[in-house]
């Protein structure tokens, strides 16, 4: 049977078919749909969202040594967070099959950096599989579990944005139940730091065995071509572009990119005058080939390390023609940057920060858009949880009124230790927690603050106020994000407070299904009362546009009745439509 | 067999992804190898959304190369213009909704907005067919079905039978929206037939 599936859906399907019984992960583009699909379609796999990737990895490690087939999912930077566990797991090796998804993001569509996690796998000494289409996303997921059990090693399945977010036809099968493996409490194996001297040689033995396996691994495939001069070594989605742009070239498609098969590569390259190494990201395969003494190759010096590849880019690089560029002569192509959803509570908070002219250290989430016009009220953003530590550092550098701003999910992910530290080291930090009860940017997944788990079932809700107080913050205030004046007042008070303070700005994410589909009565602008002062435009709500006569008008089917524009109107011209009826 | 490459462009929330997916599903049902991919930035909150669909005997890349698209379907004028260079300048068609969504987050957007984009694309020698899809959809009861009006128009350009489209829509669209959407599709297909007759 065939299904038309997203790469991520195909990974989920493969996990289900292969009898996976434990799945954990933290949402992160482009990996998120794997757990979403499992929760929706394949609950037998026991999927869950965890607080962060390190927790996900550790729970997965426990499930796998306990004997279950296990999948752990995250985006590339998530693996940085989980790296502590990732680096040590190969020392014990696994019991049940263990696959970790690293969804890399060449082109930084939704990330703060480009990072080729094949290097992290090499540091950890973990084998890497790289599928080339949706079918292989399923197949390699399943094969990865077998490989993991065969070599007792965790396995990385590396996808990229284009793989994870493209759809293709996938031949699927049924689920096979796999019995839980027996767990023998063996401290000599699982207490790595104590028995490190016993474990260290095992890691090398496994790696050597994997390198041998790579030479004949069915995923490393040679496709002979009519062209006897030019050969191509490629992996991942780039393989598809190669097949399209150089249909006659001989191709060595590497489906397993760590460890790499030295003999296979040498053999292949000896048959051609020139071999192109075409891999998105860093010269991971290329460097190995050069180190293996293969000299007739052309790689990154031609194809480049930055950004996504595409057939157009390969054609251009290979001198096969210049595809047309966007039209710009004689016309202006203005950008359409993303912005806060209609009714998003982040608006009032950034309006207040802009008004207060404080320095703001931001974090990872929708609220990075607070750095863009019209707000321009976020001045640093690095990585998950960094807002708080950076604010403490800026304070030490003399920027005393720095405000750190972080979302609820990001706070749970990586904001709690820095908050505790800020209090401990006597900072007078002002922290705003934007609590919309969801992991908004990735599509409003539930988190420990939502009171719901990945399956949508009720679960205890984290008490943010109590947590902040327990960290030692005396001054904790809660404000409704749709109360414009109160938002300004509360933030101002917090900024001038002579000690650490937390403002919890609370209001639901507009993408939450229960919010999105709730019945809301739109606001309406009465032209007889409107003086065209334009104050409501300064709310920057996309539901407010202009009529031909220059009056503001609210799109009735888009207004979320947040009331904010009505609060700013000096003549009370904005009311619920029914109040005028 | 020919490979068909299509580009769908719109603003987050307009439903360009849905008609791209309906096209892919129809192509799959008609027996073609099919791939689809979408590109969008930091989040989908009101930004540009582009979706690529390719189908044929054997499809490798899901990404459409500029200059090769059989059709560029723009749900909004500025977005059609943004991706106009993807169309095959000899044999391709730009299908555009005669509808403007001025980006609210750009300062002076109203003044900078390229209101003349349809005439501009035509001046480049491209085949541009603009349809009042939002208006047609509004007349049928819901402006949000503009996407399906355009899908109906697009169906005239693709080698996929009408009953395949029907079945695909029936499987994918929730029952309570079905009647309206089938009408929207029909209206788009009919309008397109007339435009093509007029052109000939
Ligand atoms: S997804 Fe949620 S948090 Fe993000 S902009 Fe929309 S409403 Fe705000
Ligand atoms: S009440 Fe005003 S600000 Fe709020 S969503 Fe409606 S139009 Fe926008």
């Amino acid at each position: 049977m065939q299904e038309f599936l997203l790469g991520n859906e195909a990974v989920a399907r493969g996990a289900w078919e292969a009898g996976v019984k434990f799945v954990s992960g933290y949402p992160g583009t482009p990996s998120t749909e794997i757990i979403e699909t499992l929760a929706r379609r394949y609950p037998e796999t026991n999927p869950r969202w965890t607080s962060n990737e390190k927790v996900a990895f550790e729970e997965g490690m426990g499930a796998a040594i306990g004997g279950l087939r296990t999948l752990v999912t995250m985006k590339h930077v998530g693996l940085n967070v989980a790296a502590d566990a990732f680096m040590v797991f190969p020392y014990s090796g696994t019991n049940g099959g263990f696959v970790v998804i690293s969804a890399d993001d060449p082109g930084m569509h939704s990330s703060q950096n480009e990072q080729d996690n094949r290097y992290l796998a090499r540091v950890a000494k973990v084998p890497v599989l790289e599928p080339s289409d949706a079918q292989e996303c399923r197949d390699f997921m399943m094969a990865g579990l077998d490989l993991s059990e065969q070599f007792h090693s965790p396995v990385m399945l590396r996808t990229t944005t284009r793989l994870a977010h493209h759809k293709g036809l996938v031949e699927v099968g049924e689920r096979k139940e796999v019995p839980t493996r027996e767990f023998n409490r063996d401290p000599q194996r699982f207490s790595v730091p104590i028995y490190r001297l016993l474990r260290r040689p095992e890691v090398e033995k496994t790696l050597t065995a994997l390198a041998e396996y790579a030479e004949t691994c069915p995923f490393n495939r040679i496709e002979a071509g009519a062209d006897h001069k030019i050969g191509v070594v490629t992996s991942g989605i780039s393989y598809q572009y190669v097949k399209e742009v150089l249909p006659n070239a001989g191709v060595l498609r590497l489906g397993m990119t760590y460890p790499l098969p030295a003999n296979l590569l040498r053999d292949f390259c000896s048959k051609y005058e020139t071999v192109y190494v075409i891999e998105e990201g860093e010269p991971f395969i290329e460097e190995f080939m050069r180190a293996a003494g293969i000299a007739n190759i052309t790689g990154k010096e031609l194809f480049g390390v930055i950004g996504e590849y595409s057939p157009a880019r390969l054609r251009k690089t290979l001198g096969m023609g210049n595809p047309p560029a966007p039209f710009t002569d004689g016309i202006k192509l203005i950008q359409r940057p993303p912005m806060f959803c209609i009714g998003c509570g982040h608006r009032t908070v950034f309006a207040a920060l802009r008004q207060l002219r404080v320095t703001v250290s931001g974090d990872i989430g929708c609220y990075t858009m607070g750095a863009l016009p019209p707000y321009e009220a976020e001045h640093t953003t690095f990585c998950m949880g960094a807002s708080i530590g950076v604010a403490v550092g800026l304070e030490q550098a003399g920027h005393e009124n720095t405000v750190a701003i972080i979302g609820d999910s990001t706070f749970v992910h990586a904001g709690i230790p820095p908050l505790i530290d800020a209090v401990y080291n006597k900072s007078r930090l002002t922290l705003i927690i934007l609590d919309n009860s969801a992991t908004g940017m990735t599509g409003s997944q539930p988190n420990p603050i939502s009171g719901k788990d990945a399956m949508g079932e009720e679960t205890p809700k984290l008490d943010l106020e109590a947590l902040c107080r327990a960290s030692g913050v005396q001054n904790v205030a809660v404000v409704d994000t749709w109360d414009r004046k109160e938002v300004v007042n509360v933030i101002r008070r917090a900024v001038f407070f002579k000690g650490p303070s937390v403002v919890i700005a609370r209001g639901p994410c507009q993408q939450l299904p229960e919010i999105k589909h709730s019945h809301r009565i739109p606001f309406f602008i009465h032209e007889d009362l409107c003086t065209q002062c334009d104050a409501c435009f300064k709310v920057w709500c996309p539901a407010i546009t202009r009529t031909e006569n220059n009056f503001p008008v609210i799109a009735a089917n888009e207004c979320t009745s947040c009331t904010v524009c009505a609060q700013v109107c000096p003549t009370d011209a904005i009311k619920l439509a029914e109040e005028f009826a | 067999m020919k490979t068909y490459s299509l580009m769908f462009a719109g603003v987050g929330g307009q439903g360009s992804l849905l008609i791209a997916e309906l096209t892919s599903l129809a192509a799959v049902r008609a027996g073609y190898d099919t791939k689809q991919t979408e590109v969008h930035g930091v989040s989908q909150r009101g930004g540009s959304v582009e979706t690529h669909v390719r189908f044929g005997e054997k499809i490798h890349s899901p990404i459409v190369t500029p200059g090769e698209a059989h059709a560029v379907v723009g749900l909004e004028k500025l977005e059609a213009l943004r991706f106009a260079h993807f169309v095959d300048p000899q044999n391709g068609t730009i299908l555009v909704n005669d509808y403007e969504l001025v980006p609210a987050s750009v300062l002076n957007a109203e003044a900078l907005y390229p209101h003349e984009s349809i005439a501009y694309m035509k001046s480049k020698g491209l085949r541009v067919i603009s349809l009042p899809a939002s208006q047609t959809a509004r007349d049928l009861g819901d402006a949000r079905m503009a996407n399906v009006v355009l899908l109906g128009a697009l169906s005239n350009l693709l080698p996929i039978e009408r009953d395949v489209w029907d079945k695909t829509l029936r499987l994918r669209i929730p029952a309570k929206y079905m009647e309206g959407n089938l009408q929207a599709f029909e209206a788009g297909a009919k309008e397109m037939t007339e435009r093509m007759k007029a052109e000939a």
Side-chain angles (χ1 to χ4, degrees):
Chain A
M1 194 181 61
Q2 278 192 327
E3 288 197 34
F4 189 62
L5 298 179
L6 205 59
N8 279 341
E9 292 170 334
V11 170
R13 177 72 190 206
W16 177 75
E17 285 183 40
V20 162
K21 280 203 190 112
F22 182 85
V23 184
S24 53
Y26 183 79
T29 314
S31 71
T32 314
E33 295 86 356
I34 300 171
I35 287 187
E36 286 187 319
T37 305
L38 290 168
R40 200 171 55 241
R41 288 188 62 182
Y42 310 114
E44 305 89 317
T45 57
N46 186 15
R48 60 184 57 201
W49 293 122
T50 55
S51 310
N52 67 33
E53 294 86 355
K54 183 171 189 289
V55 175
F57 197 101
E58 288 157 351
E59 289 185 4
M61 208 156 55
I65 64 173
L68 301 180
R69 285 197 144 191
T70 297
L71 169 65
V72 177
T73 77
M74 57 197 64
K75 69 181 293 176
H76 62 294
V77 286
L79 195 60
N80 301 343
V81 176
D84 214 359
F86 181 58
M87 296 295 157
V88 75
F89 195 17
Y91 277 67
S92 76
T94 191
N95 183 23
F98 179 100
V99 170
V100 56
I101 303 290
S102 168
D104 294 7
D105 188 15
M108 299 187 278
H109 292 282
S110 195
S111 308
Q112 60 265 42
N113 69 346
E114 281 192 327
Q115 178 181 309
D116 189 332
N117 273 0
R118 295 178 299 182
Y119 285 105
L120 272 192
R122 194 169 76 191
V123 176
K125 305 191 183 237
V126 166
V128 178
L129 298 181
E130 273 192 79
S132 291
D133 60 14
Q135 178 72 56
E136 288 185 345
C137 283
R138 167 198 172 266
D139 299 348
F140 285 20
M141 174 66 227
M142 299 173 74
L145 290 162
D146 291 338
L147 192 71
S148 171
E149 283 168 5
Q150 186 186 339
F151 290 90
H152 306 289
S153 171
V155 168
M156 179 200 282
L157 186 68
R158 178 191 185 235
T159 65
T160 53
T161 300
R162 200 53 47 220
L163 268 171
H165 283 175
H166 89 287
K167 284 190 170 184
L169 285 166
V170 179
E171 189 69 43
V172 297
E174 284 313 308
R175 178 170 167 95
K176 283 195 194 67
E177 291 301 338
V178 178
T180 302
R181 294 179 166 223
E182 204 176 324
F183 168 55
N184 299 316
R185 285 196 297 190
D186 176 2
Q188 292 208 3
R189 185 170 162 203
F190 297 114
S191 294
V192 171
I194 302 290
Y195 293 100
R196 60 194 183 282
L197 297 178
L198 291 178
R199 298 314 307 168
R200 183 69 187 87
E202 293 301 313
V203 179
E204 294 310 311
K205 260 191 225 156
T206 304
L207 203 59
T208 307
L210 279 161
E212 262 163 45
Y213 169 79
E215 298 285 354
T216 55
C217 163
F219 307 139
N220 297 335
R221 176 177 77 215
I222 291 177
E223 294 171 11
D227 190 331
H228 295 293
K229 279 194 181 150
I230 295 210
V232 177
V233 173
T234 185
S235 72
I237 192 75
S238 306
Y239 163 78
Q240 306 294 349
Y241 308 152
V242 168
K243 291 303 277 186
E244 194 162 310
V245 175
L246 299 167
N248 295 323
V251 173
L252 169 53
R253 199 294 304 267
L254 295 170
M256 181 169 172
T257 47
Y258 188 73
L260 283 159
N263 293 332
L264 184 66
L265 282 161
R266 267 194 216 104
D267 227 42
F268 176 79
C269 294
S270 70
K271 298 197 171 70
Y272 299 92
E273 267 172 39
T274 304
V275 173
Y276 292 132
V277 186
I278 303 181
E279 51 181 331
E280 222 173 40
E282 299 294 327
F284 185 81
I285 300 170
E286 182 183 340
E287 282 171 353
F288 175 86
M289 291 169 75
R290 291 198 193 280
I294 305 171
N296 58 333
I297 57 179
T298 303
K300 290 297 173 187
E301 75 270 34
L302 190 60
F303 300 104
V305 292
I306 300 173
E308 263 195 297
Y309 285 6
S310 67
R313 177 166 166 175
L314 291 193
R315 276 201 188 97
K316 204 168 156 185
T317 311
L318 291 166
M320 297 166 67
N322 250 344
F327 292 107
T328 47
D329 56 311
I331 199 146
K332 184 119 179 99
L333 253 187
I334 50 173
Q335 290 305 306
R336 194 186 293 279
M339 56 183 155
F340 299 130
C341 300
I342 295 170
C344 177
H346 297 355
R347 273 204 179 76
T348 52
V349 175
F350 280 101
L353 291 170
R354 180 191 152 98
Q355 192 183 327
L356 292 171
R357 296 174 179 278
V358 283
T359 304
V360 178
S361 66
D363 225 297
I364 303 289
C366 287
Y367 41 94
T368 54
M369 289 187 272
L372 302 173
Y375 303 105
E376 296 174 304
E378 206 188 77
H379 309 106
T380 72
T381 316
F382 296 98
C383 54
M384 295 289 284
S387 58
I388 302 173
V390 168
V392 170
L394 281 166
E395 181 189 350
Q396 291 303 308
H399 304 272
E400 292 200 351
N401 286 342
T402 301
V403 173
I405 190 161
I406 193 169
D408 53 332
S409 187
T410 308
F411 178 69
V412 172
H413 178 287
I416 299 170
L419 176 63
I420 292 172
D421 182 81
V423 176
Y424 172 64
N425 279 312
K426 304 196 188 76
S427 161
R428 44 166 291 200
L429 170 83
T430 304
L431 172 64
I432 300 175
I433 304 177
L434 294 162
D435 175 13
N436 59 13
S437 290
T439 308
M441 187 161 69
T442 46
S444 287
Q445 290 75 25
N447 66 43
I449 293 178
S450 343
K452 275 202 201 112
D453 65 14
M455 304 300 297
E457 281 163 23
E458 298 234 342
T459 190
K461 208 168 144 64
L462 173 68
D463 185 338
L464 261 187
E465 292 91 312
L467 178 81
C468 294
R469 288 203 181 92
S471 311
V473 182
Q474 309 287 325
N475 188 26
V476 179
V478 180
V479 64
D480 174 353
T481 51
W482 286 351
D483 188 340
R484 215 182 118 256
K485 277 207 184 110
E486 222 13 53
V487 166
V488 180
N489 290 340
V490 167
I491 295 177
R492 179 180 289 126
R493 256 181 268 141
V495 168
F496 294 111
F497 184 75
K498 296 277 173 236
S501 47
V502 172
V503 173
I504 299 170
R506 192 162 277 155
C509 174
Q510 298 300 308
Q511 295 297 328
L512 283 166
E514 63 268 31
I515 300 291
K516 214 169 159 178
H517 303 300
S518 63
H519 176 68
R520 286 171 297 189
I521 306 156
F523 275 68
F524 179 80
I525 301 179
H526 208 298
E527 293 192 6
D528 291 348
L529 298 173
C530 174
T531 56
Q532 298 193 340
C533 74
D534 277 7
C536 56
F537 285 107
K538 302 282 153 52
V539 172
W540 305 108
C541 173
I544 307 179
T545 53
R546 271 181 215 280
T547 66
E548 274 156 25
N549 306 327
N550 229 12
F551 279 104
V553 60
I554 293 176
N557 56 2
E558 295 186 48
C559 172
T560 63
S561 51
C562 76
T563 77
V564 175
C565 60
Q567 290 169 40
V568 304
C569 178
T571 59
D572 250 353
I574 309 183
K575 291 207 174 86
L576 283 177
E578 49 178 26
E579 289 180 71
F580 287 112
Chain B
M1 192 202 286
K2 180 173 167 169
T3 292
Y4 284 80
S5 293
L6 306 168
M7 166 68 86
F8 297 82
V11 179
Q14 274 197 306
S16 59
L17 190 58
L18 174 67
I19 56 166
E21 194 188 326
L22 285 164
T23 307
S24 294
L25 291 173
V28 167
R29 181 173 286 273
Y32 295 103
D33 187 23
T34 308
K35 282 185 181 165
Q36 172 186 332
T37 189
E38 74 200 73
V39 179
H40 53 70
V42 175
S43 59
Q44 307 158 42
R45 327 280 171 241
S48 303
V49 180
E50 56 174 293
T51 310
H52 304 226
V53 172
R54 303 183 78 221
F55 65 90
E57 194 179 327
K58 171 80 193 152
I59 300 300
H60 287 290
S61 165
I63 299 182
V64 175
T65 294
E68 74 166 14
H70 195 67
V72 170
V73 182
L75 272 82
E76 195 273 347
K77 279 161 61 179
L78 168 61
E79 297 314 315
L81 174 67
R82 198 186 305 285
F83 296 99
H85 62 292
F86 274 84
V87 82
D88 172 347
Q90 267 80 49
N91 305 306
T93 306
I94 297 174
L95 260 182
V96 51
N97 183 10
D98 191 357
Y99 177 70
E100 295 183 354
L101 261 175
V102 179
S105 55
V106 178
L107 288 176
N108 293 326
E110 183 62 41
L112 294 170
Y113 188 96
H115 299 287
E116 71 286 19
S117 59
I118 291 176
Y120 176 87
M121 293 187 287
K122 284 186 179 157
S123 78
K124 293 286 169 188
L126 303 174
R127 183 193 191 203
V128 183
I129 297 186
S130 88
L131 299 172
S134 289
Q135 189 55 48
T136 307
R138 196 171 304 124
D139 294 344
L140 289 169
D142 190 344
R144 283 175 299 182
M145 300 186 306
N147 57 349
V148 179
V149 174
L150 285 170
L151 183 67
L154 173 69
S155 72
N156 285 23
L157 301 174
L158 301 180
I160 298 174
E161 299 298 326
R162 183 56 184 269
D163 70 304
V164 173
W165 287 108
D166 267 4
K167 278 193 195 118
T168 308
L169 287 162
R170 283 179 196 284
L171 270 177
R172 180 64 179 72
I173 308 244
K176 63 174 173 176
Y177 302 117
M178 182 61 70
E179 232 5 81
N181 276 290
L182 288 176
Q183 283 173 10
F185 186 93
E186 176 63 38
K190 217 172 121 212
E191 175 82 20
M192 188 68 181
T193 311
E194 279 163 24
R195 295 296 178 92
M196 288 165 78
K197 258 194 221 142
E199 264 185 345

